[in-house]
Structure formats: structure tokens, C-alpha cells
mmCIF file of all heavy atoms in Angstrom:
data_model
loop_
_atom_site.group_PDB
_atom_site.id
_atom_site.type_symbol
_atom_site.label_atom_id
_atom_site.label_comp_id
_atom_site.label_asym_id
_atom_site.label_seq_id
_atom_site.Cartn_x
_atom_site.Cartn_y
_atom_site.Cartn_z
ATOM 1 N N ASP A 25 -7.622 -6.993 10.383
ATOM 2 C CA ASP A 25 -6.855 -6.356 9.268
ATOM 3 C C ASP A 25 -5.553 -7.069 9.005
ATOM 4 O O ASP A 25 -5.106 -7.197 7.908
ATOM 5 C CB ASP A 25 -6.610 -4.926 9.537
ATOM 6 C CG ASP A 25 -7.819 -4.062 9.149
ATOM 7 O OD1 ASP A 25 -8.777 -4.578 8.613
ATOM 8 O OD2 ASP A 25 -7.722 -2.845 9.381
ATOM 9 N N GLU A 26 -4.857 -7.470 10.147
ATOM 10 C CA GLU A 26 -3.556 -8.100 9.994
ATOM 11 C C GLU A 26 -3.595 -9.351 9.195
ATOM 12 O O GLU A 26 -2.640 -9.659 8.519
ATOM 13 C CB GLU A 26 -2.939 -8.320 11.353
ATOM 14 C CG GLU A 26 -2.363 -7.028 12.004
ATOM 15 C CD GLU A 26 -1.677 -7.223 13.293
ATOM 16 O OE1 GLU A 26 -1.648 -8.406 13.807
ATOM 17 O OE2 GLU A 26 -1.142 -6.276 13.780
ATOM 18 N N ASN A 27 -4.701 -10.061 9.234
ATOM 19 C CA ASN A 27 -4.838 -11.296 8.492
ATOM 20 C C ASN A 27 -4.913 -11.021 6.970
ATOM 21 O O ASN A 27 -4.715 -11.886 6.155
ATOM 22 C CB ASN A 27 -6.042 -12.092 8.898
ATOM 23 C CG ASN A 27 -5.868 -12.666 10.255
ATOM 24 O OD1 ASN A 27 -4.751 -12.976 10.677
ATOM 25 N ND2 ASN A 27 -6.984 -12.798 11.037
ATOM 26 N N ASN A 28 -5.261 -9.772 6.610
ATOM 27 C CA ASN A 28 -5.398 -9.395 5.213
ATOM 28 C C ASN A 28 -4.385 -8.343 4.787
ATOM 29 O O ASN A 28 -4.617 -7.619 3.876
ATOM 30 C CB ASN A 28 -6.839 -8.794 5.002
ATOM 31 C CG ASN A 28 -7.948 -9.756 5.442
ATOM 32 O OD1 ASN A 28 -7.743 -10.957 5.384
ATOM 33 N ND2 ASN A 28 -9.014 -9.207 5.809
ATOM 34 N N THR A 29 -3.254 -8.282 5.486
ATOM 35 C CA THR A 29 -2.303 -7.246 5.213
ATOM 36 C C THR A 29 -1.077 -7.802 4.528
ATOM 37 O O THR A 29 -0.550 -8.844 4.883
ATOM 38 C CB THR A 29 -1.816 -6.613 6.561
ATOM 39 O OG1 THR A 29 -2.999 -6.012 7.209
ATOM 40 C CG2 THR A 29 -0.853 -5.543 6.410
ATOM 41 N N ILE A 30 -0.596 -7.065 3.506
ATOM 42 C CA ILE A 30 0.532 -7.333 2.815
ATOM 43 C C ILE A 30 1.635 -6.373 3.065
ATOM 44 O O ILE A 30 1.368 -5.180 3.420
ATOM 45 C CB ILE A 30 0.312 -7.537 1.289
ATOM 46 C CG1 ILE A 30 -0.264 -6.153 0.740
ATOM 47 C CG2 ILE A 30 -0.655 -8.682 1.053
ATOM 48 C CD1 ILE A 30 -0.413 -6.138 -0.755
ATOM 49 N N ARG A 31 2.872 -6.744 2.849
ATOM 50 C CA ARG A 31 4.042 -5.857 3.072
ATOM 51 C C ARG A 31 4.753 -5.729 1.712
ATOM 52 O O ARG A 31 5.055 -6.747 1.074
ATOM 53 C CB ARG A 31 4.992 -6.470 4.047
ATOM 54 C CG ARG A 31 6.203 -5.605 4.371
ATOM 55 C CD ARG A 31 7.049 -6.231 5.478
ATOM 56 N NE ARG A 31 8.108 -5.296 5.916
ATOM 57 C CZ ARG A 31 9.393 -5.457 5.629
ATOM 58 N NH1 ARG A 31 9.754 -6.416 4.849
ATOM 59 N NH2 ARG A 31 10.236 -4.571 6.062
ATOM 60 N N ILE A 32 4.998 -4.503 1.330
ATOM 61 C CA ILE A 32 5.595 -4.224 0.041
ATOM 62 C C ILE A 32 6.996 -3.597 0.389
ATOM 63 O O ILE A 32 7.080 -2.670 1.174
ATOM 64 C CB ILE A 32 4.811 -3.174 -0.761
ATOM 65 C CG1 ILE A 32 3.426 -3.677 -1.031
ATOM 66 C CG2 ILE A 32 5.444 -2.931 -2.105
ATOM 67 C CD1 ILE A 32 2.412 -3.132 -0.053
ATOM 68 N N THR A 33 8.037 -4.103 -0.217
ATOM 69 C CA THR A 33 9.363 -3.593 -0.016
ATOM 70 C C THR A 33 10.057 -3.283 -1.336
ATOM 71 O O THR A 33 9.531 -3.669 -2.382
ATOM 72 C CB THR A 33 10.265 -4.604 0.791
ATOM 73 O OG1 THR A 33 10.311 -5.845 0.068
ATOM 74 C CG2 THR A 33 9.750 -4.882 2.169
ATOM 75 N N ASN A 34 11.138 -2.512 -1.237
ATOM 76 C CA ASN A 34 11.906 -2.020 -2.350
ATOM 77 C C ASN A 34 11.194 -0.896 -3.111
ATOM 78 O O ASN A 34 11.338 -0.773 -4.301
ATOM 79 C CB ASN A 34 12.243 -3.189 -3.347
ATOM 80 C CG ASN A 34 13.595 -2.928 -4.025
ATOM 81 O OD1 ASN A 34 14.399 -2.238 -3.546
ATOM 82 N ND2 ASN A 34 13.737 -3.465 -5.205
ATOM 83 N N LEU A 35 10.474 -0.128 -2.351
ATOM 84 C CA LEU A 35 9.803 1.067 -2.928
ATOM 85 C C LEU A 35 10.796 2.246 -3.059
ATOM 86 O O LEU A 35 11.660 2.427 -2.182
ATOM 87 C CB LEU A 35 8.657 1.559 -2.021
ATOM 88 C CG LEU A 35 7.449 0.630 -1.914
ATOM 89 C CD1 LEU A 35 6.528 0.977 -0.799
ATOM 90 C CD2 LEU A 35 6.680 0.679 -3.273
ATOM 91 N N PRO A 36 10.688 3.042 -4.126
ATOM 92 C CA PRO A 36 11.549 4.210 -4.224
ATOM 93 C C PRO A 36 11.246 5.210 -3.201
ATOM 94 O O PRO A 36 10.153 5.318 -2.604
ATOM 95 C CB PRO A 36 11.219 4.733 -5.597
ATOM 96 C CG PRO A 36 10.123 3.951 -6.138
ATOM 97 C CD PRO A 36 9.761 2.864 -5.229
ATOM 98 N N GLU A 37 12.251 6.067 -2.842
ATOM 99 C CA GLU A 37 12.080 7.004 -1.721
ATOM 100 C C GLU A 37 11.045 8.147 -2.038
ATOM 101 O O GLU A 37 10.472 8.732 -1.115
ATOM 102 C CB GLU A 37 13.414 7.601 -1.269
ATOM 103 C CG GLU A 37 14.082 8.537 -2.246
ATOM 104 C CD GLU A 37 15.392 9.115 -1.720
ATOM 105 O OE1 GLU A 37 15.991 8.518 -0.822
ATOM 106 O OE2 GLU A 37 15.771 10.154 -2.216
ATOM 107 N N GLU A 38 10.754 8.330 -3.260
ATOM 108 C CA GLU A 38 9.751 9.360 -3.605
ATOM 109 C C GLU A 38 8.321 8.873 -3.588
ATOM 110 O O GLU A 38 7.378 9.624 -3.899
ATOM 111 C CB GLU A 38 10.072 10.018 -4.971
ATOM 112 C CG GLU A 38 10.033 9.056 -6.156
ATOM 113 C CD GLU A 38 11.268 8.294 -6.453
ATOM 114 O OE1 GLU A 38 12.300 8.491 -5.703
ATOM 115 O OE2 GLU A 38 11.337 7.574 -7.414
ATOM 116 N N THR A 39 8.077 7.590 -3.246
ATOM 117 C CA THR A 39 6.757 7.015 -3.184
ATOM 118 C C THR A 39 5.881 7.715 -2.220
ATOM 119 O O THR A 39 6.313 8.072 -1.056
ATOM 120 C CB THR A 39 6.835 5.503 -2.842
ATOM 121 O OG1 THR A 39 7.682 4.845 -3.752
ATOM 122 C CG2 THR A 39 5.480 4.871 -2.781
ATOM 123 N N GLN A 40 4.589 7.948 -2.568
ATOM 124 C CA GLN A 40 3.606 8.587 -1.754
ATOM 125 C C GLN A 40 2.457 7.653 -1.497
ATOM 126 O O GLN A 40 2.329 6.613 -2.169
ATOM 127 C CB GLN A 40 3.047 9.872 -2.445
ATOM 128 C CG GLN A 40 4.105 10.924 -2.671
ATOM 129 C CD GLN A 40 4.670 11.467 -1.435
ATOM 130 O OE1 GLN A 40 3.951 11.857 -0.479
ATOM 131 N NE2 GLN A 40 5.953 11.690 -1.369
ATOM 132 N N ASP A 41 1.650 7.931 -0.517
ATOM 133 C CA ASP A 41 0.454 7.055 -0.170
ATOM 134 C C ASP A 41 -0.394 6.864 -1.417
ATOM 135 O O ASP A 41 -0.877 5.773 -1.679
ATOM 136 C CB ASP A 41 -0.401 7.724 0.983
ATOM 137 C CG ASP A 41 0.261 7.602 2.292
ATOM 138 O OD1 ASP A 41 1.505 7.650 2.311
ATOM 139 O OD2 ASP A 41 -0.454 7.616 3.306
ATOM 140 N N SER A 42 -0.585 7.933 -2.217
ATOM 141 C CA SER A 42 -1.478 7.847 -3.399
ATOM 142 C C SER A 42 -0.906 6.869 -4.390
ATOM 143 O O SER A 42 -1.637 6.167 -5.120
ATOM 144 C CB SER A 42 -1.660 9.273 -4.013
ATOM 145 O OG SER A 42 -0.398 9.784 -4.395
ATOM 146 N N ASP A 43 0.470 6.768 -4.491
ATOM 147 C CA ASP A 43 1.078 5.817 -5.391
ATOM 148 C C ASP A 43 0.751 4.398 -4.990
ATOM 149 O O ASP A 43 0.488 3.517 -5.865
ATOM 150 C CB ASP A 43 2.571 5.962 -5.391
ATOM 151 C CG ASP A 43 3.051 7.352 -5.866
ATOM 152 O OD1 ASP A 43 2.395 7.903 -6.801
ATOM 153 O OD2 ASP A 43 4.021 7.888 -5.313
ATOM 154 N N ILE A 44 0.750 4.154 -3.684
ATOM 155 C CA ILE A 44 0.427 2.798 -3.164
ATOM 156 C C ILE A 44 -1.004 2.475 -3.458
ATOM 157 O O ILE A 44 -1.359 1.414 -3.903
ATOM 158 C CB ILE A 44 0.765 2.717 -1.608
ATOM 159 C CG1 ILE A 44 2.176 3.019 -1.310
ATOM 160 C CG2 ILE A 44 0.309 1.431 -1.080
ATOM 161 C CD1 ILE A 44 3.174 2.047 -1.928
ATOM 162 N N ARG A 45 -1.856 3.471 -3.228
ATOM 163 C CA ARG A 45 -3.297 3.241 -3.467
ATOM 164 C C ARG A 45 -3.551 2.937 -4.943
ATOM 165 O O ARG A 45 -4.231 2.026 -5.293
ATOM 166 C CB ARG A 45 -4.134 4.491 -2.995
ATOM 167 C CG ARG A 45 -5.625 4.253 -3.162
ATOM 168 C CD ARG A 45 -6.479 5.359 -2.524
ATOM 169 N NE ARG A 45 -6.237 5.463 -1.091
ATOM 170 C CZ ARG A 45 -6.696 4.616 -0.173
ATOM 171 N NH1 ARG A 45 -7.469 3.602 -0.506
ATOM 172 N NH2 ARG A 45 -6.510 4.785 1.106
ATOM 173 N N ASP A 46 -2.887 3.739 -5.868
ATOM 174 C CA ASP A 46 -3.055 3.475 -7.273
ATOM 175 C C ASP A 46 -2.571 2.100 -7.700
ATOM 176 O O ASP A 46 -3.161 1.456 -8.574
ATOM 177 C CB ASP A 46 -2.340 4.603 -8.071
ATOM 178 C CG ASP A 46 -2.935 5.928 -8.014
ATOM 179 O OD1 ASP A 46 -4.131 6.024 -7.562
ATOM 180 O OD2 ASP A 46 -2.290 6.907 -8.379
ATOM 181 N N LEU A 47 -1.531 1.643 -7.064
ATOM 182 C CA LEU A 47 -0.889 0.358 -7.424
ATOM 183 C C LEU A 47 -1.795 -0.859 -6.968
ATOM 184 O O LEU A 47 -1.845 -1.829 -7.622
ATOM 185 C CB LEU A 47 0.488 0.229 -6.769
ATOM 186 C CG LEU A 47 1.377 -0.882 -7.170
ATOM 187 C CD1 LEU A 47 1.668 -0.829 -8.674
ATOM 188 C CD2 LEU A 47 2.674 -0.797 -6.392
ATOM 189 N N PHE A 48 -2.500 -0.660 -5.865
ATOM 190 C CA PHE A 48 -3.295 -1.765 -5.323
ATOM 191 C C PHE A 48 -4.788 -1.676 -5.382
ATOM 192 O O PHE A 48 -5.515 -2.604 -5.082
ATOM 193 C CB PHE A 48 -2.828 -2.055 -3.860
ATOM 194 C CG PHE A 48 -1.472 -2.628 -3.786
ATOM 195 C CD1 PHE A 48 -0.381 -1.715 -3.565
ATOM 196 C CD2 PHE A 48 -1.207 -3.916 -4.046
ATOM 197 C CE1 PHE A 48 0.909 -2.231 -3.499
ATOM 198 C CE2 PHE A 48 0.055 -4.463 -3.977
ATOM 199 C CZ PHE A 48 1.136 -3.618 -3.761
ATOM 200 N N LYS A 49 -5.374 -0.527 -5.813
ATOM 201 C CA LYS A 49 -6.791 -0.297 -5.737
ATOM 202 C C LYS A 49 -7.636 -1.319 -6.566
ATOM 203 O O LYS A 49 -8.741 -1.609 -6.254
ATOM 204 C CB LYS A 49 -7.150 1.175 -6.158
ATOM 205 C CG LYS A 49 -6.834 1.438 -7.578
ATOM 206 C CD LYS A 49 -7.196 2.931 -7.888
ATOM 207 C CE LYS A 49 -6.837 3.129 -9.350
ATOM 208 N NZ LYS A 49 -6.960 4.559 -9.710
ATOM 209 N N ASP A 50 -7.052 -1.798 -7.671
ATOM 210 C CA ASP A 50 -7.762 -2.652 -8.551
ATOM 211 C C ASP A 50 -7.974 -4.093 -7.979
ATOM 212 O O ASP A 50 -8.756 -4.868 -8.546
ATOM 213 C CB ASP A 50 -7.117 -2.781 -9.946
ATOM 214 C CG ASP A 50 -7.201 -1.461 -10.671
ATOM 215 O OD1 ASP A 50 -8.168 -0.633 -10.325
ATOM 216 O OD2 ASP A 50 -6.379 -1.211 -11.639
ATOM 217 N N PHE A 51 -7.327 -4.388 -6.907
ATOM 218 C CA PHE A 51 -7.377 -5.728 -6.335
ATOM 219 C C PHE A 51 -8.546 -5.905 -5.337
ATOM 220 O O PHE A 51 -8.912 -6.979 -4.984
ATOM 221 C CB PHE A 51 -6.052 -6.108 -5.652
ATOM 222 C CG PHE A 51 -4.978 -6.225 -6.638
ATOM 223 C CD1 PHE A 51 -3.974 -5.249 -6.665
ATOM 224 C CD2 PHE A 51 -4.825 -7.288 -7.469
ATOM 225 C CE1 PHE A 51 -2.957 -5.277 -7.599
ATOM 226 C CE2 PHE A 51 -3.800 -7.433 -8.374
ATOM 227 C CZ PHE A 51 -2.875 -6.414 -8.475
ATOM 228 N N GLY A 52 -9.100 -4.786 -4.882
ATOM 229 C CA GLY A 52 -10.266 -4.883 -3.977
ATOM 230 C C GLY A 52 -10.138 -3.734 -2.972
ATOM 231 O O GLY A 52 -9.256 -2.836 -3.048
ATOM 232 N N ARG A 53 -11.165 -3.651 -2.080
ATOM 233 C CA ARG A 53 -11.283 -2.562 -1.171
ATOM 234 C C ARG A 53 -10.170 -2.521 -0.172
ATOM 235 O O ARG A 53 -9.887 -3.542 0.569
ATOM 236 C CB ARG A 53 -12.601 -2.649 -0.437
ATOM 237 C CG ARG A 53 -12.858 -1.503 0.523
ATOM 238 C CD ARG A 53 -14.366 -1.346 0.881
ATOM 239 N NE ARG A 53 -14.744 -1.069 2.224
ATOM 240 C CZ ARG A 53 -14.085 -0.413 3.165
ATOM 241 N NH1 ARG A 53 -12.877 0.082 2.955
ATOM 242 N NH2 ARG A 53 -14.565 -0.214 4.363
ATOM 243 N N ILE A 54 -9.411 -1.424 -0.083
ATOM 244 C CA ILE A 54 -8.314 -1.262 0.839
ATOM 245 C C ILE A 54 -8.842 -0.568 2.078
ATOM 246 O O ILE A 54 -9.584 0.390 2.006
ATOM 247 C CB ILE A 54 -7.220 -0.348 0.158
ATOM 248 C CG1 ILE A 54 -6.625 -1.015 -1.050
ATOM 249 C CG2 ILE A 54 -6.159 0.031 1.176
ATOM 250 C CD1 ILE A 54 -5.719 -0.138 -1.880
ATOM 251 N N THR A 55 -8.481 -1.169 3.215
ATOM 252 C CA THR A 55 -8.925 -0.597 4.456
ATOM 253 C C THR A 55 -7.904 0.234 5.179
ATOM 254 O O THR A 55 -8.243 1.036 6.036
ATOM 255 C CB THR A 55 -9.381 -1.723 5.450
ATOM 256 O OG1 THR A 55 -8.333 -2.691 5.648
ATOM 257 C CG2 THR A 55 -10.584 -2.515 4.879
ATOM 258 N N ARG A 56 -6.641 0.030 4.799
ATOM 259 C CA ARG A 56 -5.546 0.785 5.479
ATOM 260 C C ARG A 56 -4.334 0.715 4.634
ATOM 261 O O ARG A 56 -3.941 -0.304 4.031
ATOM 262 C CB ARG A 56 -5.268 0.167 6.856
ATOM 263 C CG ARG A 56 -4.216 0.898 7.662
ATOM 264 C CD ARG A 56 -4.079 0.285 9.061
ATOM 265 N NE ARG A 56 -3.502 -0.995 9.001
ATOM 266 C CZ ARG A 56 -2.213 -1.283 9.259
ATOM 267 N NH1 ARG A 56 -1.390 -0.406 9.545
ATOM 268 N NH2 ARG A 56 -1.817 -2.577 9.163
ATOM 269 N N ILE A 57 -3.583 1.850 4.617
ATOM 270 C CA ILE A 57 -2.301 1.946 3.944
ATOM 271 C C ILE A 57 -1.364 2.600 4.965
ATOM 272 O O ILE A 57 -1.683 3.639 5.556
ATOM 273 C CB ILE A 57 -2.353 2.836 2.704
ATOM 274 C CG1 ILE A 57 -3.133 2.152 1.583
ATOM 275 C CG2 ILE A 57 -0.915 3.049 2.164
ATOM 276 C CD1 ILE A 57 -3.326 2.954 0.295
ATOM 277 N N PHE A 58 -0.178 2.009 5.171
ATOM 278 C CA PHE A 58 0.855 2.589 5.956
ATOM 279 C C PHE A 58 2.140 2.599 5.176
ATOM 280 O O PHE A 58 2.679 1.532 4.818
ATOM 281 C CB PHE A 58 1.065 1.834 7.336
ATOM 282 C CG PHE A 58 2.273 2.345 8.073
ATOM 283 C CD1 PHE A 58 2.160 3.554 8.777
ATOM 284 C CD2 PHE A 58 3.487 1.727 8.001
ATOM 285 C CE1 PHE A 58 3.238 4.078 9.442
ATOM 286 C CE2 PHE A 58 4.588 2.205 8.654
ATOM 287 C CZ PHE A 58 4.503 3.408 9.394
ATOM 288 N N LEU A 59 2.567 3.790 4.820
ATOM 289 C CA LEU A 59 3.834 3.923 4.107
ATOM 290 C C LEU A 59 4.798 4.486 5.121
ATOM 291 O O LEU A 59 4.639 5.560 5.646
ATOM 292 C CB LEU A 59 3.629 4.942 2.941
ATOM 293 C CG LEU A 59 4.913 5.325 2.165
ATOM 294 C CD1 LEU A 59 5.522 4.125 1.524
ATOM 295 C CD2 LEU A 59 4.559 6.394 1.090
ATOM 296 N N ALA A 60 5.890 3.745 5.398
ATOM 297 C CA ALA A 60 6.938 4.168 6.309
ATOM 298 C C ALA A 60 7.721 5.349 5.739
ATOM 299 O O ALA A 60 8.168 5.240 4.569
ATOM 300 C CB ALA A 60 7.855 3.005 6.649
#
């Protein structure tokens, strides 16, 4: 998974996991999301 993992920065503090999924779902199958 780490070989296929991207890091997104400068996200607003109100961001939720579902927002991340919506933003990236059209690029392909997501195996894991971690929102700090």
C-alpha cells in the first residue's frame, strides 16, 4: 500500500473522511484513507 500512497496537505479543518473519498474516488479503487 505504501508504494501506492499519496499525501494530501493544506486541507481545511472541517474536512471529513467522506470528503477525501469523494475527492479521489474517480481515480481508481481506494484501499485506505487516513485523515489526521
Side-chain angles (χ1 to χ4, degrees):
D25 276 357
E26 283 185 356
N27 290 328
N28 303 334
T29 300
I30 59 175
R31 181 175 191 257
I32 305 96
T33 56
N34 210 27
L35 291 166
E37 69 178 24
E38 63 273 4
T39 302
Q40 299 295 316
D41 289 27
S42 59
D43 299 323
I44 301 296
R45 185 169 300 285
D46 288 345
L47 191 58
F48 290 98
K49 67 182 179 187
D50 292 338
F51 296 103
R53 184 161 137 29
I54 295 170
T55 58
R56 183 176 66 101
I57 293 175
F58 172 77
L59 175 62

